[in-house]
DNA sequence: CATGAATGAGTCTTCATTCAT
DNA sequence: AATGAATGAAGACTCATTCAT
């Protein structure tokens, strides 16, 4: 019995991972159920049996990624007390998330590009909770007289959008190294931590009172 | 003959505009040739006759949108002398571009999401020249002791990514107003200039020496 | 063992009854093995284990339903002496059968519609014996100078077909009450006995000499 | 232009005829779009292009048959004055219809068997108008003191059901000639007119006052 | 006996693309 | 240049049937 259970779980996990990759690569419309099944080494019908149709699969995949992210970010942020530390924790959490879910930026871009056409409500809640987090950080810092009062949504989207564009743009930059100037390629290959430090610096410079 | 020529040009323009709208809304895979033809009030076969297949159409649309952006930005920036002013001009140029090409952010996001699969070389050059622009602004400001030395690519992508995420995310935020908190909707409806001022403030705070 | 035997029999009966209902509702092609298993509260594989594939199940169901009909009709008819009484007994037997097997008319219609594709030979014999019965009634009545000489097959099929169409058509009439005229619905709800009396009257009027 | 028009019409007609045959043979669920396309010697997609999905095709086919029937029956009946003649015209109209649309009885049986699951409203109206016809005949005959007052719906369904069962049952009877007795086969092969005369006789005997 | 997972061959439907006129 | 018909290759989803436990 436990054997069956484990086998089932393995199957489901293989499906979800394959789906994640392919949704990230091709978006919802571009993804092919057949390809997902192939990559998961699973009969196509098993996807329908275990999970449901393409929409259900998409929902499940997104929630798996964004739900986990929202929880971990809240954890990391709340472990700190001072607003500056919280802000750092927030940005590093994004880094940690990208480390664990390297497909996340592109998934998010597909979704945003489509205007959230396929965005399931649970995932919208996940995203909302993340924005709530940064809003509370800024508010706290402001009350303590440490932070200027900047729009948290804009700040958040600059961080997230910047990082996403940076990472998602990597293949493009690599392909067009020549046109982009040496720096571009050099930066593109730099490890994630460098990028995050730069972003952190920019954000904290912008936030802190002189 | 001239009448025919003009008629043909009008047809092509209608096709391109319809395609732009639909590619922006639905992406490459999601777009339907039939729908484009319908919206352009043109027979489907005419698209193939005048322009070519779906890929050719998409590439053409991309080039049409990104083409004149680089030139206008360089113009606007070079009209100013001081680095701070140049930086402001740069950000406002982005705003101006979005005003003129409201479909640009989503087109860009589809493209980035797909890894720049359809990005034509000319467009890549356009984008590269924009980065060169901001790099030179920062360098100048740094030499004058006004700016810190921040990575121009990161800065650029935070601006562009932030604005794109903000605008592209509008429909999503509107749909999920409840979960996102009142502020989200309120901001979402704000005109572009408000957003740009916020971004400008953040960027200049980050750049300027204390 | 005896417990097991009884359990098995109960399982088979549940399967057969569920199958009967669903085949009657949906026909052979429309029926879903999954649904039958669900309704029988039985694992799908059990159907294959106990009975066989979809065809076997269908044939078995058909035989189950049509099997005892012929015997009972002969019994009822032979209990009467006079041809008119026999005829009445015959029509009432049909009513009795429908009372006991309310799914019979639709099963028969599916079968006839498909050209008797799945009709097992035993069932064909059952049906043939019924026709033999009515033939002998008419012959007897004719010899006694009571009945006209009408084609027994036609008469039989008018009775059976009429009743089947009437009953099978009930849901349709109910749905389209408006178009059918008030009478349709009113009649549609009438109990079986009313219908049988009407048929009986029509048939005897047609048969009896003036 | 007229060539194209004619070609299109031919295509549509081939599709509709093939569909009629296959729906009659196999019912809605059993019919295969592929087979219909094959038999119509038409690309599958043309069915969707010209007509629509399976439901639309079914609706179109049924309406083509039943609509035509309803109109012709009304015509034939109204051409007569006396109720008895009208009744005869009505029954012969059924014959005429079966001659022209030999697939009708089985189509109707599939539909009735399914409880009108796929019955489109237009077709329901067609059927209702036929029942209205016979109702008015009987009412007229009754007012003139010629007919007994019998339930028109029952009468109609006995006629239609009888004929349908008779014809639909033909293949079954042919297959099981031995069990059915010689008469069955003999009758089964008899031309339609014989059957209709028998039905007519039965119905008029039942209706007319002594 | 019983169960849930697995399979493969369909089945409907769509869509980019081409052809004939 | 323009149109409407035609095509073929997928695409998502289903379902009868079997397997492993």
């Amino acid at each position: 019995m436990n054997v069956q259970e484990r086998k089932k779980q393995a199957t489901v996990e293989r499906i979800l991972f394959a789906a994640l990759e392919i949704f990230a690569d091709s978006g919802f419309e571009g993804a092919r159920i057949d390809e997902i099944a192939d990559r998961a080494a699973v009969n196509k019908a098993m996807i329908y049996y275990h999970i449901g149709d393409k929409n259900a699969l998409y929902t499940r995949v997104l929630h798996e990624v964004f739900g986990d992210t929202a929880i971990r970010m809240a954890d990391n942020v709340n472990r700190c007390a001072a607003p500056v530390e919280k802000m750092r924790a927030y940005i590093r959490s994004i880094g940690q998330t990208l480390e664990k879910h390297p497909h996340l930026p592109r998934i998010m871009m597909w979704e945003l590009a489509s205007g959230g056409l396929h965005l399931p409500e649970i995932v919208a809640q996940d995203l909302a909770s993340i924005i709530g987090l940064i809003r509370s950080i800024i508010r706290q810092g402001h009350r303590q007289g440490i932070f200027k009062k900047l729009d948290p949504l804009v700040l958040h989207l600059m961080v997230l959008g910047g990082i996403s564009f940076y990472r998602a743009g990597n293949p493009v930059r690599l392909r067009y190294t020549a046109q982009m100037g040496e720096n571009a390629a050099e930066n593109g290959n730099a490890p994630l931590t460098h990028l995050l430090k730069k972003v952190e610096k920019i954000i904290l410079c912008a936030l802190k009172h002189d």
Side-chain angles (χ1 to χ4, degrees), chain A:
Chain A
M1 335 211 162
N2 219 326
V3 163
Q4 277 241 356
E5 287 252 321
R6 246 179 298 150
K7 220 171 157 186
K8 168 183 172 169
Q9 208 183 333
T11 301
V12 168
E13 264 166 29
R14 277 210 317 282
I15 292 173
L16 291 180
F17 187 68
L20 171 62
E21 285 192 337
I22 288 180
F23 280 134
D25 277 359
S26 317
F28 183 83
E29 320 275 355
R32 299 290 165 241
I33 295 282
D34 275 285
E35 208 190 334
I36 293 175
D38 278 2
R39 190 171 302 185
V42 145
N43 185 289
K44 204 184 358 172
M46 290 324 292
I47 296 179
Y48 293 88
Y49 179 71
H50 283 302
I51 291 168
D53 67 4
K54 204 181 179 184
N55 271 291
L57 180 56
Y58 190 69
T59 298
R60 181 92 177 255
V61 162
L62 258 69
H63 186 44
E64 207 99 339
V65 172
F66 286 101
D68 172 67
T69 299
I71 293 170
R72 196 191 15 261
M73 288 191 81
D75 265 18
N76 287 347
V77 166
N78 291 332
R79 202 166 293 152
C80 307
V84 171
E85 290 316 306
K86 279 190 169 168
M87 204 66 209
R88 287 206 174 104
Y90 158 78
I91 289 172
R92 273 172 208 155
S93 291
I94 291 183
Q96 195 184 337
T97 297
L98 296 192
E99 212 77 70
K100 194 176 167 200
H101 302 295
H103 300 290
L104 188 142
R106 291 175 69 196
I107 288 272
M108 194 181 316
M109 296 189 80
W110 287 114
E111 239 346 87
L112 273 179
S114 80
L117 191 63
H118 305 282
L119 196 71
E121 236 203 80
I122 324 177
V123 175
Q125 285 171 9
D126 295 335
L127 297 177
S129 88
I130 294 176
I131 291 174
L133 202 61
I134 184 173
R135 182 178 296 141
S136 76
I137 299 177
I138 292 182
R139 199 177 295 157
Q140 188 194 355
H142 182 60
R143 267 196 306 248
Q144 299 186 5
I146 305 170
F147 286 170
K148 297 172 201 155
K149 197 175 184 185
L150 296 176
D151 186 323
L153 183 60
V154 174
L155 217 58
H156 172 64
L157 291 179
M158 284 180 73
V159 171
L160 205 58
I163 293 174
S164 294
F165 268 45
Y166 194 94
R167 299 229 105 193
N170 236 353
V172 187
R173 281 196 300 278
L174 281 173
R175 199 163 338 127
Y176 296 109
T177 306
Q179 291 91 326
M180 294 292 179
E182 11 28 275
N183 267 6
E186 183 195 333
N187 289 333
N189 289 325
L192 186 54
T193 46
H194 285 162
L195 171 60
L196 290 173
K197 276 202 185 131
K198 288 170 180 175
V199 172
E200 191 184 305
K201 189 176 166 195
I202 292 173
I203 289 301
L204 286 179
C205 286
L207 266 176
K208 282 200 261 185
H209 269 138
D210 316 314

